[in-house]
Amino acid sequence: MKTIRAKTDRLFKNIRAHRRPLLIILLVCGVALSLSGFLALVSSPARRAGDALRMDAYGAPDVELSVTYPTRLGVEHRGADAGIITVWARALSPDAVAPLDLVLPLPDRSVAFVDLDGRHVPGRLQVIPGYPDALPYDLRVTHANTQYQAGPLFSHRVQIAPLLRRGNEPVPLPELAFVIRLESRWATATREFAISVATLGIPVLGMILVITLVVWLWRHLNRRQALRRERQLSGLYVELREQIRLQRWSEARARIDRLLMLEPGYR
């Protein structure tokens, strides 16, 4: 028991002895974590483009499909601000141009597919691959604002796995599955605040850094100049005392003139 107490006392003693470096380290770590989270909020993409999937194994040879989808949806993403899911279809040969029926089933009622007027529509698309370039097909998705909401600290994730309709049998396309994250109002406000701060704060921060660098350089140059001047004055004082001791008045007068040039207030 005494050993544990002695070790504890020694630990607290070391902490008190190195309190300032520890506080600086904690401050630097806190700033680094805050900046990393800040940059993650600012740089997070609003949409993500998925990889292209060759459909040969699904009964549609020489056809590629890919999905571009919104990474997040907030309660404000409704009506005209709804997110857009884009299916890109491309045929690798002219013979592969044929319609494909896709279904995007929703796992719950947290999001909904809507038209331009905000009315609900089924999550189905008939796509005709383009040749030689891919053709886009859009489906609007919105926050349904139901009981399936994001929490204050955690988002609600909605995974959508497209299906290919082949006759009456839907075929899952797991490679095209994607996740949309529903944000809380708090998360949306935090991200928008971070973006506004980055938009306005980065130029101000850059200006502050430039001014700080200029001031530091100016003070550094002044300090070097003052040190050089002090060394010159010290050398002249030594030489002047030596000339006076030897009664070399002309040389002493020359040293005094040089001292007056460097230090006009010298008497």
Side-chain angles (χ1 to χ4, degrees), residues 88-156:
W88 296 86
R90 175 172 174 254
L92 303 180
S93 65
D95 298 334
V97 178
L100 297 174
D101 292 326
L102 297 177
V103 180
L104 280 72
L106 297 176
D108 54 38
R109 294 293 180 265
S110 57
V111 297
F113 297 118
V114 295
D115 59 13
L116 289 173
D117 297 324
R119 291 189 292 266
H120 286 228
V121 297
R124 300 184 180 186
L125 285 174
Q126 185 179 75
V127 301
I128 300 177
Y131 178 82
D133 58 336
L135 295 181
Y137 296 88
D138 291 339
L139 191 60
R140 301 172 68 84
V141 61
T142 184
H143 194 301
N145 201 18
T146 61
Q147 72 271 23
Y148 302 100
Q149 296 275 347
L153 299 177
F154 302 99
S155 59
H156 179 70

Side-chain angles (χ1 to χ4, degrees), residues 207-221:
M207 187 180 300
I208 292 174
L209 290 176
V210 170
I211 293 174
T212 303
L213 179 61
V214 170
V215 171
W216 180 83
L217 288 174
W218 178 75
R219 294 185 62 182
H220 180 69
L221 292 176

Side-chain angles (χ1 to χ4, degrees), residues 72-79 81-82 110 142-146 148-150 181-186 188 191:
R72 56 181 178 266
L73 285 176
V75 180
E76 73 280 1
H77 292 130
R78 307 180 68 187
D81 295 327
S110 57
T142 184
H143 194 301
N145 201 18
T146 61
Y148 302 100
Q149 296 275 347
R181 180 168 48 87
L182 298 188
E183 283 187 337
S184 64
R185 297 181 186 273
W186 166 256
T188 302
R191 181 171 46 79

Side-chain angles (χ1 to χ4, degrees), residues 163-199:
L163 304 173
L164 175 65
R165 292 184 60 190
R166 304 290 296 178
N168 294 325
E169 187 69 24
V171 179
L173 303 175
E175 295 88 349
L176 295 181
F178 56 92
V179 175
I180 299 176
R181 180 168 48 87
L182 298 188
E183 283 187 337
S184 64
R185 297 181 186 273
W186 166 256
T188 302
T190 303
R191 181 171 46 79
E192 291 178 351
F193 172 76
I195 293 174
S196 62
V197 169
T199 303

